[in-house]
Amino acid sequence: MPKKNLSGDGTAAPIDAWWWLSHKGTTTSFLCISLFALLIRSAVSMFPYSGAGTPPKFGDFEAQRHWMEITTNLPATDWYRNGTQNDLTYWGLDYPPLTAYQSYIHGILLRFFNPESVSLFSSRGHESYIGKLLMRWTVLSSDALIFFPSALFFVLVYHRNRAKSQVAWHIAMILLNPCLILIDHGHFQYNCISLGLTVGAIAAVLCGSEVLTCVLFTLALSHKQMSAYFAPAFFSHLLGKCLRRKNPILSLLKLGIAVIVTFVIVWWPYLHSVDDFLMVLSRLAPFERGIYEDYVANFWCTTSILIKWKKLFTTPSLKSISLAATVLASLPSMVHQIFSPSNEGFLYGLLNSSMAFYLFSFQVHEKSILMPFLAATLLALKIPDHFNHLTYYALFSMFPLLCRDNLLLPYLTLHLLFTLIYHSQLPKTKASSFSFTSFPGYVFLLRTHFFISLVLHVVYLTIQPPQKYPFLFEALIMILCFSFFVMFAFYINYTQWNFSSRFRSADKEKKQI
Amino acid sequence: MDGDRRHLLLWFFAAATAVKLLLIPSYRSTDFEVHRNWLAITHSLPLSEWYFDETSQWTLDYPPFFAYFERFLSFFARLLDPKIVDLHKGLDYSADSVVYFQRITVIFSDLSLLLGVYRLTRKVETLKRNLICVLVVWSPGLLMVDHVHFQYNGFLLGWLLLSVSFLQDGRDLIGGFLFAVVLCFKHLFAVAAPVYFVYLLRHYCWAGLATGLRRLVALGSVVVAVFAAAFGPFIYNGQIQQVISRMFPFGRGLCHAYWAPNFWVFYIILDKGLAFTLRKLGFDVQVPSASFTGGLVGDSSPFAVLPQITPLTTFVMVLLAITPCLIKAWKKPQPGLVGRWIAYAYTCGFLFGWHVHEKASLHFTIPLAIEYPIKVLLLLLHSMVMWLGFTALYSDEKALKEKEGGESKSKFEIGCIEKGYLIGLVLVEIVSQFLHPYFLGDRYAFMPLMLISTYCAVGIMYSWIWQLLKILT
């Protein structure tokens, strides 16, 4: 039945304009929206990739192709070892083994259809239509096989006990994530695999199957070490849950074993000697690259305008400082989850810990905004307004990167598409007791912020920066995005703590009854 | 209510525009260069030379209104990048400026399609209206042909839909006027001219001697005025014969290089089959000099056994096929049914016409090019939205009818034969696109094309027969 709300004057309020999409059930509407999502991904794939036509180093695309070349031609133990055939200074592998295995499988596919794109040495800098096509197909297939099913799993579990009117909107928000599409299918990366595994792990948490959570999250960690952004949330939530059981030690042991077994299976080739293991670890954490690179909107890079961190401290001490800062930033949400774990709080915890890592971690890239952004899409129904702004600023923080890759048109189009779909059905939020909107001048501040960012868009594209400060505009963009991210992080932390007090008081009421 | 409706329509159009923008860097066919050349011709040469210029092989072969349209666009093209409209230096120009310019003109011109659909569905109830809009604005065929291959069909179809909408409203004079305008844009639309003629005569001009005669004169003068505006300058220059010969290039063969899935596919297969069996039986059957499968377009007879088909034959066949429709229109001209009759006329034109282009099949030379999943996904998405929309519509109607206490038997179901056909379509595609190249490589290269053409022809014949039955009953 269509949900038409007939008010007194006879006009129909658009409460559920998309009921025709979701009337056949969640899975069918998911299928329909995923077809559209795949269409958009295929269309974006036609645009250039990172480092297209820029010898000698090219970009991420060449890195991934090179890894396929290395993994299909050398034995596993040599993949992370510097050698005559594997020159680690030319895009050496710097992700954990699961990425290497995935490169191996994709490399075999490429070798079957186009051998010269992965032949040892001679394929360096190889750029051809068929090579690009095959690489794009590998990303599309990984997305469809790993990210989409996990997203379906999450949506089914999350919307189990909720009104079905907003499922379609939520699915669209998750699948039409503009940042992920632009980075994976434009710039060229495989974030969909690690993010898909993470989403699967999150769904497993909501479902209550903790062993599955551990397995999936360990796999995600073994694909990209950046998944560790979510580790505090997982750890604190599972610990909190275990502590409430009758036999906490046993539960913890079960989970620990699941993690260790998965870890051993994936890292098997590198566990034969301590040297091998450390060799891989050293590739994963390239500390010599410094605390930040380029112009990413995190704490270290933004404050380096005033405080020259790299000059004041040595790299090892910066390592410790950033570690301390990250732990401190994620501590509130961790503590909250250990003492009062809940599914809803867990989702907030994910957002908090990933924001903390993004803001304070060592060697953060612009692309790392994908991690907090994913957590935000999962929470989109709860924080719709802030989610809208986060999307805008997350995309804006990657704007210089995307312009370098000639991805301006997809950037604008996906932004347009996101705005259209976001506004097609705005979810109703309960008025919270505290909201930033009640601050005087908040709306004015937000609007000015937004206006400045629009101006910066145009300025970046049209005006040449002054000779003395060639990266002036990148720096301005970075400051603007950082200021938003900090406010956002504060808000989300506050919400999570507020959530627990509401939860606890409701709990107390139940006990009294 | 009106504002809400317009909102939703614009929303769908904006979403479709987003997809069209993403399709800008996709594969372009020679039609892209054709239109760029026409921009150059209409801009750089005086009117008297438009239909004579042969600098490029892509000569002007659309009626004058389209040429005026290109002239209008060329003004902006020159502002953007003068090389686009340069007759000689702009040949095969494929820089970003010309690609973006041309693609964006198509996107803008699709506004006419939006206007046409909006007007046509003004009086239809909400859910149906949204469904129709989505299905038209998001039509995969239109997206593939207009925004990948490159043409301006959306623009032209918009005008046609406007014309039909006026006819349905009973405002025949404007409907006839708009149809004349469409004809002067692309003469292909003339297939429905008999229907228009009979309908307008019966519905508009058949109203007593004085009024009828007055109306006939009015209609006639409107149509003549439109044609005069279009062809006038050329008649004045004495070039009308050249223009006509460009518009009707009957030097081309019955079928285009890739067979359109129309009736003639069966004729050709029958001919080949007969030739084969007769040869086996010992008769001396000459192998024809021209061939269908060679991909050539020529004038010599490619038929070995069956009689040759001439343009006149196809013309007669089309007219014969439209006749039931004309009889109905003559007997009882109803505004509500005119849209159906016009659609039927175009189906007949496709099915029996001369040198029909198959633009819908769009074969890509590189296997698994990224446009292929786009095509497949568009089709799947469209079908799924259609299915979801129709089931929602029927369940909605059923619920309404049940509320009113009536019995409702309507349920949206696809019959067994139809389901079988659709599954067969998937199989045909898998065989011709993947299995055939994998197992047989380049041998019998015509087989997949023949298979696809024949299978689709069966489907289109089925739809034609269904339409005919609907009209007759």
Side-chain angles (χ1 to χ4, degrees), chain B residues 167-433:
Chain B
L167 284 185
Q168 282 193 329
D169 282 350
R171 296 162 69 173
D172 296 335
L173 194 61
I174 305 181
F177 163 70
L178 285 171
F179 184 67
V181 168
V182 171
L183 277 184
C184 291
F185 268 111
K186 193 167 179 176
H187 45 298
L188 186 69
F189 289 92
V191 178
V195 177
Y196 264 90
F197 182 71
V198 170
Y199 176 80
L200 285 173
L201 194 64
R202 266 305 251 144
H203 189 254
Y204 187 58
C205 308
W206 213 258
L209 198 61
T211 335
L213 209 62
R214 184 166 44 95
R215 283 188 179 172
L216 185 63
V217 167
L219 192 61
S221 43
V222 159
V223 173
V224 167
V226 170
F227 275 82
F231 293 95
F234 299 98
I235 298 175
Y236 179 74
N237 283 339
Q239 297 175 336
I240 199 68
Q241 193 158 23
Q242 170 72 357
V243 176
I244 302 280
S245 73
R246 281 285 182 87
M247 274 169 41
F248 297 96
F250 281 113
R252 300 187 191 170
L254 175 65
C255 293
H256 193 62
Y258 295 107
W259 307 348
N262 65 0
F263 175 77
W264 301 117
V265 166
F266 298 121
Y267 195 79
I268 294 171
I269 291 184
L270 187 64
D271 178 70
K272 290 223 176 289
L274 278 176
F276 184 71
T277 26
L278 286 177
R279 266 193 221 114
K280 281 278 163 146
L281 289 174
F283 288 97
D284 176 34
V285 176
Q286 267 194 316
V287 177
S289 49
S291 141
F292 294 104
T293 57
L296 295 168
V297 288
D299 215 5
S300 47
S301 170
F303 291 105
V305 176
L306 295 172
Q308 201 199 347
I309 302 291
T310 59
L312 191 64
T313 329
T314 60
F315 180 70
V316 168
M317 293 266 328
V318 174
L319 222 58
L320 269 176
I322 304 185
T323 316
C325 188
L326 295 175
I327 296 175
K328 273 273 165 172
W330 181 267
K331 276 209 217 145
K332 195 173 172 204
Q334 288 171 298
L337 291 176
V338 74
R340 197 175 292 195
W341 293 335
I342 292 173
Y344 174 74
Y346 283 118
T347 312
C348 295
F350 179 81
L351 218 46
F352 297 103
W354 177 270
H355 199 82
V356 172
H357 279 230
E358 79 324 332
K359 290 208 162 71
S361 70
L362 282 177
H363 281 255
F364 298 107
T365 49
I366 299 176
L368 296 182
I370 206 75
E371 285 85 357
Y372 182 73
I374 292 180
K375 173 173 92 164
V376 170
L377 285 167
L378 267 174
L379 284 168
L380 283 174
L381 189 62
H382 192 87
S383 321
M384 188 145 200
V385 168
M386 201 171 353
W387 179 71
L388 277 173
F390 278 124
T391 46
L393 190 72
Y394 276 79
S395 75
D396 195 20
E397 279 180 5
K398 197 165 160 189
L400 276 170
K401 284 209 180 112
E402 273 165 13
K403 260 205 330 210
E404 290 161 14
E407 263 268 333
S408 165
K409 274 177 278 163
S410 68
K411 192 170 175 248
F412 183 71
E413 246 176 21
I414 307 179
C416 289
I417 302 180
E418 285 87 352
K419 270 196 192 136
Y421 181 78
L422 289 172
I423 294 176
L425 197 64
V426 175
L427 287 172
V428 164
E429 183 68 9
I430 293 177
V431 164
S432 58
Q433 196 78 358

Side-chain angles (χ1 to χ4, degrees), chain A residues 57-58 70 100 109 113 124 143 176 259 373 391 407-408 410 427:
Chain A
K57 268 288 207 162
F58 303 93
I70 293 291
L109 183 79
F113 285 106
R124 284 205 191 173
D143 221 337
L176 288 165
V259 170
F373 191 74
T391 313
L407 289 172
L408 181 63

Side-chain angles (χ1 to χ4, degrees), chain B residues 59-133:
Chain B
T59 53
L60 193 55
D61 54 7
Y62 275 18
F65 271 178
F66 202 86
Y68 300 156
F69 173 66
E70 293 276 12
R71 176 72 183 89
F72 170 70
L73 288 178
S74 69
F75 173 72
F76 299 103
R78 198 187 72 86
L79 285 177
L80 181 69
D81 180 358
K83 199 164 165 206
I84 298 177
V85 292
D86 194 306
L87 199 58
H88 299 277
K89 283 192 252 167
L91 283 173
D92 290 318
Y93 191 39
S94 59
D96 274 349
S97 61
V98 64
V99 174
Y100 274 75
F101 176 74
Q102 295 224 265
R103 291 270 196 222
I104 289 178
T105 54
V106 184
I107 294 175
F108 263 107
S109 64
D110 272 353
L111 279 170
S112 98
L113 182 66
L114 184 67
L115 191 66
V117 173
Y118 172 69
R119 201 156 192 296
L120 197 59
T121 55
R122 256 182 343 174
K123 301 202 183 105
V124 181
E125 65 103 4
T126 322
L127 190 62
K128 270 198 193 146
R129 182 189 20 91
N130 293 343
L131 193 58
I132 295 174
C133 286

Side-chain angles (χ1 to χ4, degrees), chain A residues 39-40 43-47 407-417 420, chain B residues 13-26 99-108 110 138 143 146-148 374:
Chain A
L39 174 71
I40 297 291
V44 173
S45 302
M46 287 192 291
F47 286 85
L407 289 172
L408 181 63
L409 183 63
Y411 170 84
L412 293 170
T413 315
L414 284 180
H415 218 144
L416 167 71
L417 203 58
L420 282 172
Chain B
F13 186 74
T17 307
V19 178
K20 290 171 194 170
L21 282 170
L22 285 176
L23 287 176
I24 286 184
S26 61
V99 174
Y100 274 75
F101 176 74
Q102 295 224 265
R103 291 270 196 222
I104 289 178
T105 54
V106 184
I107 294 175
F108 263 107
D110 272 353
W138 277 86
L143 277 168
D146 270 18
H147 298 275
V148 177
I374 292 180

